[in-house]
Amino acid sequence: MQHIRNFSIIAHIDHGKSTLADRIIQFCGGLSDREMEEQVLDSMELERERGITIKAQTVALKYPSLDGQVYLLNLIDTPGHVDFSYEVSRSLAACEGALLVVDASQGVEAQTVANCYTAIEQGVEVIPVLNKIDLPAADPERVVAEIEDIIGIDAKDALRVSAKTGEGIQAMLEAVVKRIPTPKGDPDAPLKALIIDSWFDNYVGVVILVRVVDGVLKPGNKIMLMANRTAYLCEQVGAFLPKAESRDSLAAGEVGYVISGIKELKSAKVGDTVTLADNPATAPLAGFKEIKPQVFAGLYPVESNQYDALRAALEKLQLNDSSLQFEPETSQALGFGFRCGFLGLLHLDIVQERLEREYDMDLITTAPTVVYQVVLRDGTITEIENPSKMPDLSKIVEIREPIITTTILVPEEYVGVVMSLCTGKRGIQRNMQYMGRQVMLVYEMPLNEVVMDFFDKLKSVSRGYASLDYEFKEFRASDLVKLDILINNEKVDALSLIVHRASSQQRGRELAQKMRELIPRQMFDIAVQAAIGAHVVARENVKALRKNVLAKCYGGDITRKRKLLEKQKAGKKRMKRVGNVEIPQAAFLAILQVG
Ligand code: GTP
């Protein structure tokens, strides 16, 4: 055990975590250059394009240290986005150390701070690493000062590396070996292994990645997952080098995979404890949480005959994404579809994109919403995930909305605009601290306001410099109302939304105006209204169209004409007919562009 080092990389998106991990693997001789191309750590095509690590993967590497010993380095990958902060906390719980990677040309960002605090809470040894020192804009001195000011850890020995050129990698690995503690744990105690990650493999079923804390796990053992107390037969254990290689056992301190005939991903929850059925541990490892979706949206096929295909696609995605939830939903406006639950906005984006790209679905997505707790007059409390399902106000005593605590880091010159943005989104300031040239703002904000377009607005008012992290705090009672949109006097359920009473009139007006711009003119007048209960707060008209679009073409130019027709057809794909009005996808998301 004294030659094992378990560590993660903490970094803000784009600060170079994947590149650094690749470089470490290469340095330890894990892969050839060509295999590097095929990439293991960041393997999904989508991830590659977006540059986001979605699914954590882990490698076991042999590192011949300058002290003459060979060390086994377990590099435990962590997802790089706020939506996956629970997974990050479980990965860190499996480590004794973490490399805190900060782009030396950028500096510390909010997410780095949040993840670093998580690491410190878990008692993990944090080693600051300044990456991208090859860039002319790199300013290591400033970034060292920032790490010390903002995070409050000693950074004078921060390592300076370039994941791109390979400079400083060996010195960094020496620091891993010297500064990260040897794993502790009792190989003779009953088995306790932490589930860091799990995924579905078509050939072997569910694969779980564990960190063995105490005891030893061998093929042939009967294991038990402590959250549900279900038992399975352990068929194979092994490690990723980075290719999977089976082993005789996994012992205290080690990290590796377990295959045990588990059929469904949701049986192997991240954070759960694996023990032996015949000699179980008395208590599970601390920190296990059931994670619940926070953001919901309706997904509807544009063509109703694609409903079954959409269900099949969602089922397939769920095989490898247990945090994705869905259930059938019917909308008067959109027909048959699914109400889907996501961890956050990015998660929603990824799922939507995969459905379109990998499964070739044409979808109408409704604006994302959050879960509301509704206290009814008869004393019952229900959870509402879809605004159109909100009970009549006369039956409601109280509506409670989810509140988050958000931490924003922003350069001094943008503090004013960021503060007024937060206040406009009903934020309550909890803290404000000057740290070097940056300011840390802590706000409590309704998640409802954040799912609208807060991230985009924050980035735009701060010219891209602000960074943000958030976590759920509590449900809190608030004066909320349902705003309905009517098109030619017909209520469009998929456009209903919940807003605060104080801003409801203005939102209604802006939304009606936006819809007027987004709904293409048709052969008749269209009335767009926004209403709260029976009270109409705004009305706009989309004037009837008289001219033939083809009239724009020069007579006889058939290619132009065809192009125009094709363009019209493509535009139509994303339309839904409500009554006799064609409504484009953009209109269903108009709410994201107002307020
Ligand atoms: P996520 O996977 O989105 O969390 O990003 P990441 O932190 O893994 O960043 P990634 O490794 O994808 O690197 C982001 C960008 O920075 C890429 O374009 C890299 O090529 C570049 N990059 C990474 N390390 C270095 C470095 O040392 N020097 C320079 N010049 N560029 C680097």
Side-chain angles (χ1 to χ4, degrees), residues 11-12 80-86 88 109-118 404-409 440-443 445 450 454-455 458 466-472:
H12 188 76
H81 190 276
V82 279
D83 286 2
F84 305 95
S85 56
Y86 173 69
V88 173
E109 310 261 9
Q111 199 198 329
T112 334
V113 183
N115 287 347
C116 196
Y117 284 161
T118 310
I404 56 166
T405 304
T406 156
T407 306
I408 300 168
L409 267 184
M440 186 164 87
L441 295 166
V442 178
Y443 274 85
M445 266 202 279
V450 174
F454 183 70
F455 297 142
L458 181 67
S467 61
L468 156 145
D469 191 76
Y470 70 85
E471 60 181 8
F472 173 79

Side-chain angles (χ1 to χ4, degrees), residues 12-19 42 51-53 131-132 134-135 162-164:
H12 188 76
I13 289 170
D14 276 349
H15 282 206
K17 189 180 74 181
S18 308
T19 315
D42 228 358
I52 292 161
T53 312
N131 187 32
K132 308 198 190 182
D134 59 292
L135 289 178
S162 166
K164 191 175 169 190

Side-chain angles (χ1 to χ4, degrees), residues 134-244:
D134 59 292
L135 289 178
D139 188 353
E141 300 306 326
R142 175 177 66 84
V143 176
V144 163
E146 259 186 35
I147 295 175
E148 295 190 336
D149 278 350
I150 300 176
I151 303 179
I153 57 171
D154 183 358
K156 70 177 178 306
D157 295 332
L159 294 144
R160 296 169 186 212
V161 307
S162 166
K164 191 175 169 190
T165 66
E167 190 183 342
I169 300 297
Q170 188 171 29
M172 185 186 76
L173 292 176
E174 284 299 307
V176 164
V177 164
K178 299 231 160 51
R179 285 161 64 179
I180 296 178
T182 304
K184 292 189 193 68
D186 181 358
D188 300 319
L191 179 72
K192 266 190 195 178
L194 173 68
I195 301 186
I196 306 169
D197 194 9
S198 59
W199 61 93
F200 188 83
D201 182 284
N202 284 334
Y203 296 101
V204 297
V206 173
V207 180
I208 48 185
L209 184 74
V210 296
R211 155 70 199 270
V212 182
V213 175
D214 286 324
V216 180
L217 175 60
K218 290 181 182 156
N221 286 157
K222 200 166 150 203
I223 58 168
M224 182 171 77
L225 304 186
M226 294 185 81
N228 295 328
R229 308 198 76 76
T230 41
Y232 301 90
L233 183 70
C234 174
E235 293 161 10
Q236 196 192 116
V237 300
F240 296 105
L241 311 169
K243 288 177 189 147

Side-chain angles (χ1 to χ4, degrees), residues 17 138 247 293 328 356 376 508 590 595:
K17 189 180 74 181
R247 295 248 168 101
E356 289 173 354
L376 298 172

Side-chain angles (χ1 to χ4, degrees), residues 39-58:
Q39 234 322 334
V40 236
L41 280 184
D42 228 358
S43 55
M44 272 158 66
E45 178 206 1
L46 198 67
E47 279 187 23
R48 193 161 266 287
E49 279 173 34
R50 287 170 166 265
I52 292 161
T53 312
I54 300 161
K55 202 78 207 150
Q57 285 191 11
T58 292

Side-chain angles (χ1 to χ4, degrees), residues 353-480:
E353 215 170 306
R354 290 190 64 184
L355 287 169
E356 289 173 354
R357 234 197 260 193
E358 295 169 31
Y359 297 89
D360 208 21
M361 308 288 321
D362 286 320
L363 298 172
I364 296 272
T365 310
T366 64
T369 64
V370 299
V371 184
Y372 295 94
Q373 277 185 355
V374 179
V375 185
L376 298 172
R377 294 221 177 271
D378 64 8
T380 50
I381 301 180
T382 51
E383 296 207 332
I384 303 287
E385 294 156 7
N386 182 341
S388 73
K389 302 270 160 60
M390 188 59 81
D392 194 69
L393 278 188
S394 63
K395 297 197 181 108
I396 297 176
V397 182
E398 184 175 280
I399 303 177
R400 299 176 189 152
E401 61 179 337
I403 303 289
I404 56 166
T405 304
T406 156
T407 306
I408 300 168
L409 267 184
V410 62
E412 227 172 326
E413 56 267 42
Y414 303 109
V415 169
V417 282
V418 170
M419 281 169 60
S420 46
L421 175 67
C422 292
T423 311
K425 299 285 184 190
R426 298 192 280 134
I428 301 170
Q429 198 183 90
R430 289 293 175 222
N431 197 3
M432 175 169 170
Q433 234 173 311
Y434 280 79
M435 297 165 148
R437 68 184 178 106
Q438 299 239 64
V439 181
M440 186 164 87
L441 295 166
V442 178
Y443 274 85
E444 279 173 22
M445 266 202 279
L447 181 59
N448 170 7
E449 301 286 345
V450 174
V451 299
M452 293 302 182
D453 62 345
F454 183 70
F455 297 142
D456 292 345
K457 285 241 164 77
L458 181 67
K459 284 284 173 205
S460 86
V461 300
S462 68
R463 293 179 196 271
Y465 284 113
S467 61
L468 156 145
D469 191 76
Y470 70 85
E471 60 181 8
F472 173 79
K473 182 174 166 62
E474 63 187 15
F475 278 96
R476 197 179 286 168
S478 183
D479 190 8
L480 300 165

